[in-house]
Amino acid sequence: MSDNFPFQNPEQLQQWHQGIKDANRNNIFCHCRACGYEWMDSAFDVTCIQCSSKDIKSILSWQFPDD
């Protein structure tokens, strides 16, 4: 492996991949295109709790910067 590779062994790489999967599963930002309501969820196939619309934009929230 390269000197720039941040993982010492394949298990560390697997742990990193699992962390990304966990973040994806538990941190989904949802925006209702119909009424504008926004919330966090753990699924992509959701219905707006304000207006019952299925027209939802879902974004993996870990992609947003913290600042």
Side-chain angles (χ1 to χ4, degrees):
M1 289 185 202
S2 161
D3 289 338
N4 294 329
F5 195 70
F7 306 105
Q8 301 298 317
N9 57 55
E11 291 79 25
Q12 287 180 335
L13 179 60
Q14 177 59 30
Q15 288 174 341
W16 181 78
H17 281 286
Q18 186 61 48
I20 296 296
K21 287 178 186 176
D22 291 343
N24 287 345
R25 181 174 51 250
N26 298 316
N27 297 295
I28 300 169
F29 174 78
C30 300
H31 170 83
C32 178
R33 291 182 178 117
C35 73
Y37 185 69
E38 297 176 335
W39 71 98
M40 297 298 293
D41 213 303
S42 59
F44 281 102
D45 186 25
V46 294
T47 301
C48 179
I49 60 174
Q50 293 292 318
C51 72
S52 301
S53 174
K54 296 288 270 172
D55 189 9
I56 308 298
K57 172 72 175 175
S58 300
I59 303 169
L60 300 174
S61 67
W62 63 265
Q63 296 178 18
F64 295 108
D66 290 334
D67 51 60

